[in-house]
């Protein structure tokens, strides 16, 4: 049994570069979420997929951010033209459908923009 | 906008002491989760409460959901150094936003041997 996995675990990039992160959810989970967490804060919601459909996006998700889940399995989060303010931990979570919505998180990708 | 306020933000105690962390909101949540997070790792789910007034116990941890489903508490009995970490509460909104969780800012707990 594997939980949610994320790759890479760490990414260091220069300002202005593009980066892409991958999330593999728990296999039977059809819901997938992306969150961002900065130091000393709780995670903030970015976006949410049910199967391949992106159902909700936060206002935090500027037009430099794009997320996909093309086959309803793994998901990618791309940040174009990175800025220093994008430095954060990017967390992915997955869940089964239902009102209780227990979300299980991956280990995260730590992004540092120099 | 739904907000969750956690208190205290920092807690430093000696091994064997008891403690309570609070999570409060003016909004009603359909469910509330508590997570524990280690540095550099993702949050790990401890418990989910869904019914107003519900109490759940997990070994030395006791979780309570307020009657109005707007607040929750986490009580740890006889804290141990292994309990050290960041504790997060998160509320599920229900309705059209049932996909997302709203997190509190967290409580950093340090238990000294």
């Amino acid at each position: 049994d594997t939980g949610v996995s994320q790759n890479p675990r760490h990414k260091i990039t220069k300002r202005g570069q593009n980066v892409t992160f991958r999330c593999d959810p728990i296999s039977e989970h059809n819901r997938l979420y992306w969150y961002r967490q900065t130091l000393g804060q709780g995670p903030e919601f970015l976006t949410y997929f049910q199967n391949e459909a992106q159902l909700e996006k936060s206002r935090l998700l500027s037009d430099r951010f794009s997320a996909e889940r093309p086959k309803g399995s793994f998901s990618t989060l791309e940040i174009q033209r990175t800025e220093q303010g994008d430095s954060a931990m990017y967390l992915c979570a997955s869940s089964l459908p239902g009102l209780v919505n227990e979300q299980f998180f991956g280990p995260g990708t730590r992004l540092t923009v120099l | 906008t739904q907000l969750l306020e956690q208190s205290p933000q920092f807690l430093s105690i000696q091994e064997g002491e008891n403690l309570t962390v609070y999570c409060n909101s003016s909004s009603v949540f359909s469910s509330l989760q508590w997570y524990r997070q280690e540095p550099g790792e993702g949050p790990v789910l401890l418990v989910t409460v869904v019914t107003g007034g519900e109490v759940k116990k997990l070994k030395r941890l006791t979780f309570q959901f307020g009657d109005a489903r707007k607040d929750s508490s986490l009580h740890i009995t006889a804290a141990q150094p292994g309990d050290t970490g960041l504790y997060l509460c998160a509320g599920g909104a229900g309705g059209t936003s049932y996909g997302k969780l709203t997190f509190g800012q967290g409580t950093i707990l340090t238990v000294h041997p």
Side-chain angles (χ1 to χ4, degrees):
Chain A
D1 173 45
T2 57
V4 178
S5 62
Q6 292 187 245
N7 288 287
R9 292 292 309 276
H10 303 275
K11 179 70 178 180
I12 300 174
T13 191
K14 293 182 179 179
R15 190 175 51 186
Q17 298 294 305
N18 300 342
V19 294
T20 300
F21 309 141
R22 176 177 170 129
C23 171
D24 288 89
I26 295 171
S27 58
E28 64 268 26
H29 287 186
N30 69 339
R31 292 183 179 175
L32 187 148
Y33 314 82
W34 286 99
Y35 292 82
R36 181 172 67 187
Q37 185 178 26
T38 53
L39 203 61
Q41 300 295 321
E44 295 176 295
F45 171 79
L46 292 179
T47 190
Y48 150 58
F49 291 85
Q50 181 155 303
N51 298 313
E52 65 275 9
Q54 189 173 18
L55 297 187
E56 189 172 353
K57 291 169 61 173
S58 165
R59 284 170 287 181
L60 291 173
L61 213 64
S62 76
D63 55 7
R64 296 185 298 105
F65 288 70
S66 62
E68 294 183 344
R69 195 183 183 196
K71 298 182 180 179
S73 56
F74 73 92
S75 175
T76 57
L77 177 68
E78 181 183 16
I79 309 174
Q80 296 182 326
R81 304 181 305 281
T82 52
E83 302 172 356
Q84 287 185 325
D86 297 331
S87 295
M89 174 79 91
Y90 289 84
L91 294 163
C92 176
S94 69
S95 75
L96 289 167
L99 291 177
V100 174
N101 195 26
E102 286 188 326
Q103 297 184 18
F104 296 87
F105 282 80
T109 296
R110 167 71 66 186
L111 172 65
T112 302
V113 182
L114 302 176
Chain B
T1 303
Q2 294 184 309
L3 293 174
L4 272 171
E5 294 188 3
Q6 272 187 251
S7 61
Q9 193 172 352
F10 300 95
L11 202 49
S12 179
I13 62 172
Q14 293 297 126
E15 183 175 2
E17 293 183 11
N18 302 333
L19 65 112
T20 303
V21 177
Y22 299 93
C23 180
N24 295 294
S25 175
S26 58
S27 304
V28 175
F29 290 99
S30 60
S31 66
L32 196 135
Q33 280 92 40
W34 284 92
Y35 290 86
R36 180 167 168 265
Q37 187 176 23
E38 300 277 358
E41 299 294 330
V44 175
L45 181 65
L46 296 174
V47 78
T48 299
V49 286
V50 296
T51 305
E54 184 176 4
V55 176
K56 281 192 174 180
K57 292 190 176 183
L58 184 67
K59 296 183 181 178
R60 294 176 294 101
L61 280 59
T62 302
F63 304 87
Q64 186 163 5
F65 203 11
D67 290 341
R69 291 185 291 135
K70 293 182 179 181
D71 55 88
S72 181
S73 63
L74 158 61
H75 183 79
I76 301 179
T77 303
Q80 299 177 1
D83 296 326
T84 294
L86 173 66
Y87 289 83
L88 294 159
C89 64
T96 58
S97 292
Y98 64 85
K100 74 178 186 183
L101 292 177
T102 298
F103 280 83
Q105 75 270 38
T107 295
I108 297 175
L109 171 65
T110 304
V111 183
H112 301 280

